[in-house]
Amino acid sequence: MFDKNAKKTKHEADKKSSLLKPAKYGKGETKTLSSTLSTTIGPSINIKGELSGGEDLIIQGSVEGTIKLLDNSVSVGEHGQIQADVFARNITVQGELSGDLHGTEKVTVTSSGRIKGNIIAPRVVLEDGASFKGSIDMENKPATSTISPTTDNTPSKAKIA
Amino acid sequence: MQGFSEEQKYRILDLGKASGATVAFFSKLRCKLFVGDVIPAILSYQKSLQDDEPPRLMLPDMIGLDDLSELDLVMCWDIINYLDTHLIEAFSDSLHQLMANGGYLHAFIYTHKEMPAKPGNYQILDASQMDVEYPVGSGIPAPGFAQRELGKLMRGFEIRQSRLLQSGLQEYLFHSL
């Protein structure tokens, strides 16, 4: 009896741990499957119009128009090409985006991200190597940034004090 | 950061490339930060000018961003060192039109005989430290503008503060008139 219970407990624990295992969605991006539902727009999909809904969205294809997922996250993958204004809680851009980004929590532009447009968010993270042209509208809340270490092949660096 | 108020919302233009560290630095303020990334375009325009052609620099068109006006602070970094004197005048005229009354312009001038062949990429680490990435390659002669000469070239601005840094760069803070 004790052995049976022990087996069942182990099985449930395995199931739980596999659900919590992070899955790779793209370079440098992981997501815990059990935390939220998410939808992926694949690299061969082109969408024109307004996208709205109540789950997280990962875009590897192209979208033209407006994306409104006010309570969720939007991730633009490395191959994603977006010409749209995006409204979401968290927005991560690894690909190319032309438009305005309205993040109620945070907007992150990774090193491979290329953005032409405006960012309106309380927290903005711009990784080293990210390409951005536009404006960043920030209120008085702390932002963070990631600065990658310099390699030997990069141009010389100096501190100015 | 001294002199910045927590209540006011500032409008700031970075003429250089986007930098995460600079974004993080200015996030301590209430501000709208414009990233112009326009330095290569200015240098390319200079290259395209004929010898006797008077420069007509239209910075708003070159930068191409909406709502670019009433700027409280512009970060020029070291671009002035790479401009001909006529272009510096056109540059300051064009920039002056974008400034708020009493806005500031921050710039570095090389005081040594040589400077890097191309402008550096600057980012602000904290209130007293910056980081600059220079292009690889040999240097070129620096114009070494004197303070008085620079004051005349930067039309519409007056020098509010100037100090020589350990690196040999002269840091200038101009005030829009």
Side-chain angles (χ1 to χ4, degrees):
Chain A
M1 191 174 171
F2 284 109
D3 283 351
K4 199 178 176 184
N5 279 345
K7 259 189 182 176
K8 193 178 175 185
T9 306
K10 188 178 184 298
H11 176 70
E12 279 172 0
D14 285 346
K15 198 175 166 187
K16 197 176 178 185
S17 69
S18 70
L19 278 171
L20 290 171
K21 201 179 281 179
K24 283 269 183 189
Y25 280 86
K27 194 182 174 186
E29 185 190 358
T30 57
K31 203 166 180 68
T32 305
L33 286 175
S34 61
S35 60
T36 49
L37 287 169
S38 66
T39 299
T40 301
I41 295 173
S44 67
I45 308 291
N46 304 316
I47 295 175
K48 282 188 183 183
E50 182 176 319
L51 276 175
S52 60
E55 57 192 272
D56 293 351
L57 182 64
I58 299 157
I59 305 170
Q60 297 287 5
S62 72
V63 176
E64 202 176 312
T66 309
I67 300 165
K68 278 187 184 172
L69 297 166
L70 298 176
D71 296 324
N72 296 86
S73 299
V74 173
S75 299
V76 179
E78 271 192 62
H79 304 292
Q81 289 199 324
I82 313 295
Q83 278 193 308
D85 293 337
V86 183
F87 300 81
R89 197 177 69 227
N90 291 303
I91 304 168
T92 303
V93 181
Q94 295 181 317
E96 207 173 315
L97 189 145
S98 176
D100 293 346
L101 303 179
H102 300 257
T104 52
E105 267 183 21
K106 189 168 85 168
V107 172
T108 305
V109 187
T110 71
S111 57
S112 61
R114 298 172 301 284
I115 293 184
K116 190 171 190 314
N118 305 304
I119 299 175
I120 302 104
R123 294 181 69 212
V124 178
V125 179
L126 207 64
E127 289 186 2
D128 246 13
S131 165
F132 173 76
K133 181 156 180 164
S135 69
I136 301 172
D137 202 334
M138 295 177 282
E139 286 299 325
N140 197 12
K141 288 180 185 173
T144 55
S145 73
T146 308
I147 303 164
S148 310
T150 310
T151 62
D152 289 339
N153 293 331
T154 55
S156 61
K157 277 196 163 196
K159 290 253 192 302
I160 300 173
Chain B
M1 297 290 278
Q2 288 171 350
F4 282 108
S5 143
E6 283 185 11
E7 281 81 43
Q8 192 182 336
K9 186 163 183 176
Y10 294 96
R11 296 168 66 83
I12 300 166
L13 169 63
D14 182 347
L15 291 177
K17 281 170 73 172
S19 147
T22 303
V23 170
F25 177 78
F26 283 113
S27 69
K28 293 164 196 156
L29 296 172
R30 293 184 66 228
C31 73
K32 186 168 183 176
L33 174 67
F34 296 90
V35 180
D37 195 5
V38 74
I39 288 171
I42 297 172
L43 295 177
S44 170
Y45 171 72
Q46 174 166 259
K47 217 172 177 180
S48 73
L49 285 170
Q50 303 297 322
D51 285 345
D52 52 353
E53 187 184 350
R56 300 180 69 183
L57 195 66
M58 298 297 289
L59 275 176
D61 292 345
M62 274 185 172
I63 296 170
L65 298 180
D66 294 336
D67 191 31
L68 190 66
S69 63
E70 295 292 310
L71 298 169
D72 299 295
L73 175 65
V74 175
M75 292 170 294
C76 280
W77 309 127
D78 60 1
I79 179 68
I80 294 172
N81 299 273
Y82 296 86
L83 304 181
D84 297 335
T85 51
H86 291 305
L87 195 55
I88 294 175
E89 289 172 338
F91 173 76
S92 58
D93 284 343
S94 187
L95 210 47
H96 184 253
Q97 290 174 24
L98 298 175
M99 303 296 294
N101 193 19
Y104 288 98
L105 191 149
H106 181 252
F108 292 115
I109 299 294
Y110 290 99
T111 59
H112 292 160
K113 287 180 181 175
E114 265 204 353
M115 64 181 187
K118 288 178 181 173
N121 289 324
Y122 289 77
Q123 54 183 1
I124 303 173
L125 300 180
D126 58 44
S128 61
Q129 261 198 119
M130 291 191 59
D131 190 73
V132 58
E133 187 179 275
Y134 293 117
V136 175
S138 54
I140 58 170
F145 295 115
Q147 188 164 319
R148 194 170 181 167
E149 183 186 12
L150 199 61
K152 283 183 184 171
L153 291 171
M154 293 297 291
R155 297 193 298 218
F157 295 91
E158 67 175 8
I159 296 168
R160 175 55 63 93
Q161 212 175 311
S162 159
R163 63 176 181 150
L164 185 62
L165 305 177
Q166 287 174 349
S167 58
L169 284 169
Q170 185 93 21
E171 184 181 26
Y172 282 93
L173 193 62
F174 294 90
H175 188 239
S176 176
L177 297 170

